[in-house]
Amino acid sequence: MKKMVVGIGVLLSLLLWFSSCGARIEESEEISGSDLLKKEEELAAEGENYIVVGFSQVGSESDWRIASTESFKETFSQENGYYLIFEDAQQKQENQLKAVRNFILQEVDYIVLDPIVETGWDAVLQEAKEAGIPVIVADRQVKVADESLYTCWVGSDFEEQGRRAGEWLESYLEEKGRTSEEIRIVTLQGTRDSTAQIGRTGGFAQILERNDNWTMLERRDGDFTQTKGQEVMEDFLKTYSGIDVVVSENDNMTFGAIEAIEAAGKTCGPDGDVIILSFDAGRAALQAMADGKINVEFECNPLLGPLVSDIIQKLERGEEVEKLQYVKETYFDSTMDLDTIIQERVY
Ligand code: GZL
Ligand code: ZN
């Protein structure tokens, strides 16, 4: 019988968990994934009915991602009736594929996947389907030939976020009487082929094309990280003169871009040389906006844990769930009462 030795981390955390639940496993005992879960079933028989959830998370590349992980770990706790097996893929799809296969071997009850990019999931989701394990996709989306390979998706309308950014820039430039001068724009893109990047780029492009005086000098992948965002912005500043606007597809790249702009002796924000549009609207970015460095923040809600838990509870009751579930979002700009907004922010 194929013995699957669970990762030491999982083994240790499960050992700790079992000991805390009173089931005693001899310290020296080497147990396999399926034996581990048999023990868990024994526990269940004693009424400790945990729903085992395997969550494959993209990585820890941004403030948004950290808030997302926190939301899932807080929600999928033992007090709430769950046992969470959490895997951080360090922004590599092959790690996510391994994690999902691991979850299947461990016969988890549900798989939650935040897919780093949209393609490459058909085979592994087919395996989950054959194993009878429902897959819930959260945040970013998967593009698969057979939509039945996942139960549902919950997350943001990234294209609307992008459109909202374009609409905001239109009205801002109108207010400033800058509707006939050339507006020179660069874009720091998120991880290429991630749903957030596809949507934000695509949504903004819809508005770009109706403004003849806007010039998109270049869009380049900054991988949603501060380091890469700074690197790309430094190169943009060397390559292009008179950049008027930076569209940055997440706050961490924005922080890097601000570093680069200021190092080049320029200023950004409402009173600066360069207009900064940023996505996520985490607390640190709202503070940077209050400090005058960013013009506008397009919110992206990372608190998906409770929504995914509601979905699982519905499925446990045999209820139908919507295939696509969008979270509500807004934007904040420097004209608003940022101190109050910052106080109220959860992330
Ligand atoms: C968006 C999410 C993106 C964030 C980035 O929902 O996938 O990934 O905008 C994060 O900050 O890295
Ligand atoms: Zn709109």
Side-chain angles (χ1 to χ4, degrees):
M1 189 260 271
K2 191 164 172 249
K3 272 198 153 322
M4 197 279 300
V5 179
V6 290
I8 296 295
V10 172
L11 186 61
L12 286 180
S13 52
L14 279 171
L15 281 177
L16 279 175
W17 173 52
F18 279 120
S19 54
S20 69
C21 296
R24 182 67 42 208
I25 298 173
E26 293 316 312
E27 293 309 308
S28 59
E29 190 179 355
E30 165 76 7
I31 34 178
S32 74
S34 47
D35 296 353
L36 217 43
L37 287 165
K38 259 196 212 84
K39 287 236 189 276
E40 192 246 337
E41 269 142 31
E42 278 160 31
L43 259 182
E46 291 154 28
E48 307 238 19
N49 222 347
Y50 290 95
I51 299 173
V52 183
V53 174
F55 174 34
S56 172
Q57 174 62 292
V58 166
S60 49
E61 73 284 356
S62 66
D63 296 16
W64 188 97
R65 188 63 53 200
I66 307 298
S68 158
T69 293
E70 258 162 48
S71 172
F72 278 94
K73 286 187 173 175
E74 265 160 37
T75 303
F76 290 97
S77 65
Q78 287 167 34
E79 301 80 71
N80 291 341
Y82 293 103
Y83 183 74
L84 177 67
I85 306 176
F86 175 82
E87 295 282 352
D88 172 337
Q90 281 112 34
Q91 284 196 279
K92 290 189 179 58
Q93 181 172 29
E94 66 263 24
N95 290 345
Q96 291 200 285
L97 295 169
K98 258 186 244 154
V100 172
R101 291 197 162 100
N102 213 338
F103 297 150
I104 294 169
L105 279 171
Q106 294 185 71
E107 300 173 358
V108 299
D109 298 311
Y110 293 88
I111 291 171
V112 179
L113 171 67
D114 187 336
I116 180 161
V117 292
E118 293 201 337
T119 52
W121 305 99
D122 298 76
V124 77
L125 295 184
Q126 184 59 39
E127 291 162 33
K129 182 175 181 181
E130 280 155 17
I133 301 175
V135 176
I136 296 164
V137 181
D139 175 30
R140 301 181 188 178
Q141 294 185 355
V142 295
K143 218 190 258 337
V144 287
D146 170 5
E147 290 292 313
S148 75
L149 290 182
Y150 65 96
T151 303
C152 64
W153 166 84
V154 55
S156 300
D157 183 344
F158 299 108
E159 204 172 287
E160 177 52 24
Q161 292 176 2
R163 272 194 300 275
R164 196 175 286 141
E167 290 157 358
W168 179 89
L169 184 59
E170 274 181 332
S171 50
Y172 182 77
L173 291 171
E174 197 156 339
E175 221 177 271
K176 301 289 177 191
R178 300 179 65 180
T179 49
S180 46
E181 74 176 80
E182 186 198 16
I183 301 295
R184 296 163 61 78
I185 306 170
V186 291
T187 299
L188 296 171
Q189 286 186 300
T191 306
R192 181 61 52 83
D193 295 337
S194 66
T195 315
Q197 178 271 307
I198 295 167
R200 290 168 184 163
T201 300
F204 188 84
Q206 292 166 26
I207 312 299
L208 172 70
E209 63 196 26
R210 73 185 189 204
N211 286 276
D212 306 343
N213 62 315
W214 295 9
T215 305
M216 182 58 75
L217 298 167
E218 187 180 340
R219 301 184 179 101
R220 203 184 300 177
D221 185 352
D223 211 17
F224 284 132
T225 66
Q226 180 160 342
T227 316
K228 197 89 172 64
Q230 181 166 349
E231 215 178 276
V232 173
M233 193 65 222
E234 281 163 0
D235 201 41
F236 280 159
L237 288 161
K238 285 193 198 102
T239 313
Y240 304 104
S241 62
I243 295 172
D244 297 301
V245 179
V246 176
V247 178
S248 172
E249 294 183 353
N250 92 324
D251 291 338
N252 294 81
M253 294 191 292
T254 303
F255 301 148
I258 293 169
E259 295 271 322
I261 291 165
E262 292 180 341
K266 293 176 181 296
T267 55
C268 41
D271 307 324
D273 310 315
V274 184
I275 297 165
I276 306 281
L277 286 74
S278 183
F279 292 85
D280 282 351
R283 198 184 285 117
L286 295 173
Q287 189 52 56
M289 184 151 72
D291 298 342
K293 309 250 172 144
I294 297 172
N295 293 72
V296 59
E297 281 284 347
F298 300 94
E299 183 187 29
C300 182
N301 182 346
L303 308 181
L304 301 179
L307 301 176
V308 173
S309 175
D310 289 349
I311 288 166
I312 288 177
Q313 292 303 321
K314 281 202 176 101
L315 294 171
E316 287 287 294
R317 293 193 297 269
E319 290 170 23
E320 286 292 304
V321 292
E322 297 264 311
K323 190 75 178 175
L324 301 176
Q325 303 182 34
Y326 290 94
V327 291
K328 291 256 165 301
E329 289 159 342
T330 180
Y331 76 89
F332 307 100
D333 73 21
S334 53
T335 64
M336 298 176 182
D337 172 7
L338 294 174
D339 291 343
T340 311
I341 292 168
I342 291 168
Q343 266 155 28
E344 285 161 4
R345 299 297 284 170
V346 176
Y347 59 92

